[in-house]
Structure formats: C-alpha cells, structure tokens
Amino acid sequence: LAESLFSSERYAEARRLFAELALATPGDPSLALKLARAHARLGEVTNALAVIETAKVRHGPRADLSLVEGQLNEDLGRPDAARAAYA
C-alpha cells in the first residue's frame, strides 16, 4: 500500500506508512530509503537526511544509503558533504 501511495504521489500518506513499517522492521534498510524519499518529495530534506544517517548507523556502510545521502546533501547545497557521501 505504501508503494502504491508513493507512486500515486500521495507522499504524506506514504511517509506515514513507511515510518510505521520501518519501526516494525528495523532490519530492513530499504524501508529507510523509501521513508527518506517520501520525506524528500514532501520537501523535508533535512528529515530525509536524518533517516539516512540513522540507517547508516543501524546498517553500516551501504552504497544505496550513501547514494541517497549524497543526493540529499546536493539538494541542501552541501557539495562537500555530498562528495564525502559518494566517496
């Protein structure tokens, strides 16, 4: 359902469901990515970045998390942080 809401551009509803799923399944980093993307689509880039940073602590270094972290830092106008995430 959350994926369908996201695809339908119902980002606030998708964010709520992704947050619930991420809490219920903390071992699944894909849910953190989806939650971060929903935050970002709502213009909540700093919240999205916080989700990614928490996921990196929980799941360790992962290319998918680093990619999204870099993109979010670019959105925030932080080129040095973006480059560090991509490295």
Side-chain angles (χ1 to χ4, degrees), residues 29-74:
S30 71
L31 292 171
L33 286 167
K34 292 171 185 176
L35 176 58
R37 289 190 174 117
H39 275 297
R41 291 293 178 122
L42 290 165
E44 302 167 349
V45 180
T46 54
N47 289 342
L49 192 55
V51 169
I52 294 299
E53 289 170 353
T54 299
K56 286 180 74 175
V57 169
R58 180 174 289 142
H59 303 291
R62 293 177 49 99
D64 52 356
L65 295 173
S66 294
L67 175 65
V68 173
E69 180 184 18
Q71 292 167 338
L72 292 169
N73 276 301
E74 285 182 27

Side-chain angles (χ1 to χ4, degrees), residues 15-39:
R15 177 192 57 200
R16 182 181 56 78
L17 289 178
F18 284 137
E20 290 175 10
L21 290 168
L23 284 173
T25 317
D28 186 351
S30 71
L31 292 171
L33 286 167
K34 292 171 185 176
L35 176 58
R37 289 190 174 117
H39 275 297

